[in-house]
Amino acid sequence: MASPNIKFIPPQMADPSKYTTRANRQGPLWLLLKDTCILISVLHYLPLVFWPLKSKNGDGEKKTSWASVRDIFVQGLLFIIETIILILFIPALVSLPGILFFAVSIACGLLIQLIAWPAQGPRLVQSNMNPETLKESGKHQDERWVFINGICTCSSGLQQNVDRLSLLFGRSVLGIHNQSVGMIGDVFECILQRCLSYKTMDVRVACEIVKGCLMDPEAKKVVLIGHSQGGIIVSMVLDQLFPELPNESMSKLEIYTFGSAASHFHNPPILPRTDATGSSPVDCIKYIEHYANEYDMVPRWGVLYATRALLTNRYAGAVFVHMGATGHMFIQHYLDRIFPVTGGTAKAHSGPAVKTNGLTGNGHVVQKNGDSTSHLVQPQSHRVEEAQDVEMGGSYLDGIPVVDEQASANRYNVNLDSLVKPKKHVAASISAKPTATTDGDAAAIMDGNAHRTGSFVVVKGIPSTQTQKYGGRTVRQISRLWLYLGGRSPPAEK
């Protein structure tokens, strides 16, 4: 079975002496200017956000319904109006009197909110579950699953997202609606959140919901999933809750993002309970994973840029990059590729499928939707034949990622002391072919050659051992999220 080309960026060390956040080094206006320039540098990937257009699964974002048609119309109208406003903004600022400009700006904002309102829906959405999924979720009453959507997602889209997550993982999923005001308005909101730490209503709601889950004595585990802008909101939730809650509560969290637009991810180190002399710090949250498509514009501005270019930036978690892959849609371009649902019947080398208690004999979870039966691919050790969607999912999880040695070594050997060094100091390159790269050089950064970020330099240090640790292992041997498929749970920790 052919394996997709996957690149793996190992997690950062739990070493606070090496990393900090951009906000601790640079002012908000400078960050806003840089983020805008970086975004402009990757805009040529915008058409690939929706590519491929055709979905092999009819239950993805392209599923036709009255709600989806309404949402597409609303998003299209908002894009046209916001583009016109953006073009006329500077001329209006220069020509109109101050009071009139202010009044026109308020009127434009109200018009956008009025157009967006029919597609926004409630702030909280609960997943719909068929009887078998409902039965499976009853086995996990001590878990809380929360999802935060990305940009341009209307209420019907959020419902599709949480329904698919519930179908995949056999849990009830609560969706926090990051309400959309159009593509341009959502991107502007992302910039404000990243650079000014602006807590929108979505962030405030998410903080309260996640905090309540973590403080619930009956909850032993809280799984937080974010897509696109949802990754920014998840990172802001962590920023808010780490100072407020004890480590015992925060350690309940597991975090998984897809196409994340976040520029940082906190995960402060703690000492083991033994507190023995010489014990190494470990991350408070044990499991953080980020999944990104190489030619998805959003993570090229977010997680991929942050982990490859901002070397002294704290970005906790392992990163799986699907090389050569395009698209940004949560179901169609991420879930369907990693955890596909197919209407076909799959066979394994161990023999034909036999249904037993909702599971087929070869490890496939069976979910019934009305009169039709769809088979959820449960990762397994043996090869899956037939059913093209099944084979694609197996090939991703069974693929052996290439460890991004350049990014790993650069992040490992970075020297935070450069914060206080004059800018004239020259980097001691760890690359055989040194390439001076600045924060704005997105092309070199995405090619994995960046090892210098402005005045913050990489210095020679202990060589990374990440290749030895992760090399030759499949995605399923490194990752954790797939262990929850079909209502299952990861093995109990010792």
Side-chain angles (χ1 to χ4, degrees):
M1 177 165 46
S3 298
N5 187 10
I6 304 169
K7 186 167 284 189
F8 177 68
I9 303 177
Q12 282 177 324
M13 295 174 57
D15 185 354
S17 68
K18 287 181 174 288
Y19 313 109
T20 183
T21 62
R22 298 190 307 163
N24 290 336
R25 304 193 303 263
Q26 298 166 329
L29 295 181
W30 178 245
L31 289 178
L32 192 149
L33 177 62
K34 286 208 316 185
D35 266 15
T36 302
C37 292
I38 297 165
L39 178 62
I40 292 173
S41 72
V42 298
L43 273 180
H44 58 284
Y45 292 103
L46 181 60
L48 299 180
V49 166
F50 307 101
W51 189 264
L53 296 174
K54 186 178 180 180
S55 174
K56 295 179 180 180
N57 192 319
D59 293 329
E61 286 89 352
K62 300 296 177 64
K63 182 179 180 180
T64 303
S65 65
W66 158 245
S68 65
V69 172
R70 176 203 63 194
D71 295 346
I72 292 173
F73 174 78
V74 168
Q75 288 292 331
L77 183 60
L78 286 172
F79 181 78
I80 294 172
I81 292 175
E82 289 173 350
T83 300
I84 294 173
I85 292 174
L86 191 63
I87 294 173
L88 297 179
F89 178 79
I90 297 299
L93 178 63
V94 174
S95 60
L96 294 180
I99 296 178
L100 181 58
F101 175 79
F102 179 77
V104 171
S105 299
I106 295 296
C108 290
L110 291 176
L111 176 63
I112 291 173
Q113 288 291 344
L114 181 63
I115 296 174
W117 175 77
Q120 287 184 339
R123 287 282 177 182
L124 301 179
V125 173
Q126 196 70 45
S127 61
N128 296 317
M129 293 183 288
N130 57 46
E132 293 188 16
T133 306
L134 183 62
K135 179 181 178 181
E136 200 66 44
S137 68
K139 304 175 183 177
H140 309 287
Q141 296 296 323
D142 58 347
E143 297 180 9
R144 305 290 182 268
W145 285 59
V146 180
F147 171 74
I148 305 175
N149 64 272
I151 65 172
C152 299
T153 303
C154 299
S155 58
S156 62
L158 175 60
Q159 188 68 63
Q160 283 183 331
N161 291 343
V162 294
D163 289 351
R164 174 59 66 87
L165 289 172
S166 185
L167 173 66
L168 285 171
F169 301 111
R171 271 85 169 172
S172 175
V173 180
L174 176 65
I176 298 176
H177 194 190
N178 168 32
Q179 295 182 339
S180 175
V181 289
M183 178 182 290
I184 295 176
D186 290 350
V187 170
F188 180 68
E189 189 178 75
C190 286
I191 294 176
L192 294 181
Q193 290 173 333
R194 282 169 49 123
C195 303
L196 306 181
S197 298
Y198 175 60
K199 293 183 174 62
T200 59
M201 176 63 74
D202 317 300
V203 177
R204 299 195 296 271
V205 171
C207 283
E208 290 301 312
I209 295 296
V210 176
K211 184 176 182 179
C213 293
L214 293 173
M215 296 301 292
D216 184 354
E218 297 182 359
K220 306 302 180 185
K221 180 184 299 182
V222 179
V223 177
L224 184 56
I225 302 174
H227 170 239
S228 184
Q229 186 184 6
I232 301 178
I233 296 175
V234 170
S235 72
M236 295 182 72
V237 169
L238 296 183
D239 294 343
Q240 178 71 26
L241 296 185
F242 270 123
E244 295 183 3
L245 299 182
N247 291 335
E248 290 76 10
S249 297
M250 294 300 294
S251 62
K252 295 180 182 180
L253 271 172
E254 292 185 17
I255 296 175
Y256 305 96
T257 73
F258 297 83
S260 173
S263 60
H264 73 277
F265 250 88
H266 272 145
N267 191 11
I270 58 175
L271 288 176
R273 285 186 176 275
T274 56
D275 201 18
T277 304
S279 58
S280 300
V282 296
D283 288 330
C284 181
I285 301 174
K286 293 183 180 180
Y287 304 105
I288 301 180
E289 295 174 2
H290 309 283
Y291 297 84
N293 292 331
E294 182 186 14
Y295 295 117
D296 181 354
M297 185 192 80
V298 177
R300 291 181 77 91
W301 182 53
V303 57
L304 297 182
Y305 182 83
T307 53
R308 290 178 173 176
L310 305 177
L311 302 182
T312 58
N313 185 55
R314 180 57 166 147
Y315 211 102
V319 184
F320 297 88
V321 187
H322 196 166
M323 305 301 290
T326 61
H328 183 64
M329 294 184 180
F330 181 55
I331 296 177
Q332 180 173 332
H333 299 138
Y334 281 102
L335 294 186
D336 275 354
R337 286 172 175 167
I338 306 173
F339 316 115
V341 176
T342 179
T345 301
K347 294 181 180 180
H349 281 302
S350 56
V354 179
K355 300 176 185 178
T356 55
N357 297 326
L359 293 175
T360 63
N362 58 20
H364 288 239
V365 180
V366 178
Q367 300 289 355
K368 293 183 178 179
N369 298 309
D371 296 332
S372 62
T373 301
S374 60
H375 299 267
L376 167 63
V377 180
Q378 177 64 39
Q380 48 197 316
S381 59
H382 49 265
R383 178 178 175 179
V384 178
E385 293 181 335
E386 302 181 5
Q388 186 175 5
D389 282 350
V390 175
E391 186 164 331
M392 181 175 66
S395 66
Y396 187 99
L397 293 169
D398 290 326
I400 300 177
V402 176
V403 178
D404 193 332
E405 299 180 12
Q406 184 73 54
S408 176
N410 287 348
R411 298 173 88 199
Y412 186 91
N413 294 324
V414 71
N415 185 2
L416 193 56
D417 290 342
S418 59
L419 284 166
V420 295
K421 290 181 179 179
K423 194 169 184 177
K424 64 181 181 181
H425 284 260
V426 180
S429 175
I430 61 172
S431 174
K433 296 181 180 180
T435 305
T437 317
T438 62
D439 288 350
D441 194 350
I445 290 161
M446 292 303 107
D447 290 337
N449 295 322
H451 63 272
R452 181 177 185 274
T453 58
S455 62
F456 306 104
V457 299
V458 175
V459 299
K460 289 182 178 179
I462 303 173
S464 172
T465 59
Q466 302 288 23
T467 302
Q468 291 83 352
K469 182 177 181 180
Y470 297 104
R473 302 175 66 185
T474 64
V475 173
R476 76 171 75 252
Q477 291 174 320
I478 301 174
S479 67
R480 179 177 174 86
L481 181 58
W482 74 271
L483 294 170
Y484 292 100
L485 283 175
R488 300 184 180 184
S489 297
E493 298 181 6
K494 298 180 180 179

